[in-house]
Amino acid sequence: MTVMIWLAVFPTMTVLNLLLAGLLRNAPSVLRTLVLVTVAVPIVLYGLMEW
C-alpha cells in the first residue's frame, strides 16, 4: 500500500510543481507547499486512488 501511494503522490507532486513553479516562484515555501498539497491530495485520493 505504501508503494502504491508513493507511486501516486510522487508523480502528481512533480507535475504540479513543474506546472505551478512560475506562479509560485516568489511565494514563501510554506505557502507553496500548502497550495501544492491542497491541489494534489484531491487528485490523488479521488482521481488516482479511487477510494
Side-chain angles (χ1 to χ4, degrees), residues 14-38:
T14 302
V15 169
L16 286 174
N17 197 17
L18 292 172
L19 290 174
L20 299 175
L23 294 172
L24 300 173
R25 173 182 38 232
N26 297 322
S29 61
V30 173
L31 179 60
R32 210 172 26 235
T33 302
L34 176 66
V35 170
L36 290 174
V37 170
T38 301

